[in-house]
């Protein structure tokens, strides 16, 4: 019974944390997919940045909604960086993504973890918490871009 519960929990956790697996007919589709996911994430992250930086008024409910979307979107782009997707459509992705896969994954894992914290921070309804978590997440965006995205 205990074993069954553990297996059921593991299955539930896997379902909750892993995105639905994406499948691409051609490299161009994978490239468009990852760019689209990153673009949508950036749009919602930008709204949080505007609040964190005081460019728009803090709206706790909007912050929570945007942060939840960022955390969901942060799971998606990585499936679009599979083997053979270094070319096939215009891309700023650098070859090091495929020659340093473990390091690239450290970056994507860090971003996912940061966005989970960002969503938790937004749920507190406290602007200072949002600012702190926003800053940490922005640093993760930047670190990966500095290493793996062409200027
Ligand atoms: C954003 C966005 C990024 C990051 C990055 C953080 O809002 O679209 O790519 O923040 O600029 O340094």
């Amino acid at each position: 019974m205990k074993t069954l519960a553990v297996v059921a929990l593991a299955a539930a956790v896997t379902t909750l944390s892993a995105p639905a697996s994406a499948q691409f007919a051609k490299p161009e589709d994978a490239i468009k997919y990852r760019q689209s996911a990153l673009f949508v994430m950036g749009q919602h992250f930008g709204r949080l940045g505007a609040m964190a930086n005081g460019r728009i008024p803090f709206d706790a409910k909007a912050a929570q909604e945007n942060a939840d979307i960022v955390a969901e979107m942060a799971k998606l782009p990585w499936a679009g960086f599979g083997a053979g997707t270094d070319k096939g459509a215009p891309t700023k992705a650098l070859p090091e993504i495929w020659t340093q896969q473990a390091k690239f994954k450290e970056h994507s894992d860090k971003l996912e973890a940061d966005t989970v914290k960002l969503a938790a921070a937004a749920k507190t309804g406290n602007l200072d918490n949002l600012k702190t978590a926003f800053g940490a997440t922005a640093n993760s965006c930047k670190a990966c871009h500095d290493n793996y995205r062409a200027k």
Side-chain angles (χ1 to χ4, degrees):
M1 193 57 218
K2 217 170 180 181
T3 310
L4 190 63
V6 170
V7 171
L9 181 65
V13 167
T14 304
T15 307
L16 290 174
S17 58
S21 56
Q23 204 169 272
F24 307 106
K26 48 190 192 299
E28 182 186 358
D29 290 351
I31 293 169
K32 280 201 248 173
Y33 176 89
R34 71 199 187 209
Q35 289 172 343
S36 302
L38 288 160
F39 178 78
V40 172
M41 178 163 56
Q43 297 302 296
H44 292 276
F45 192 60
R47 293 287 296 196
L48 295 171
M51 288 186 215
N53 296 316
R55 289 195 307 274
I56 60 173
F58 177 53
D59 174 336
K61 184 168 177 284
Q64 190 173 326
E65 287 169 355
N66 281 292
D68 282 344
I69 295 170
V70 169
E72 277 305 306
M73 296 310 296
K75 299 174 187 173
L76 302 184
W78 326 118
F81 287 96
T85 65
D86 54 324
K87 45 176 129 9
T91 175
K92 291 184 194 161
L94 292 176
E96 285 74 16
I97 290 169
W98 293 275
T99 57
Q100 306 174 356
Q101 287 185 22
K103 239 187 102 192
F104 183 66
K105 188 170 188 308
E106 278 176 31
H107 281 274
S108 65
D109 285 350
K110 172 87 164 56
L111 180 80
E112 286 187 49
D114 283 336
T115 62
V116 169
K117 289 184 201 158
L118 178 67
K123 268 182 194 73
T124 67
N126 177 292
L127 180 57
D128 285 330
N129 289 344
L130 180 71
K131 284 182 183 174
T132 302
F134 176 85
T137 307
N139 284 339
S140 284
C141 298
K142 185 176 187 308
C144 199
H145 290 163
D146 286 350
N147 284 297
Y148 296 105
R149 185 174 71 167
K151 298 288 175 286

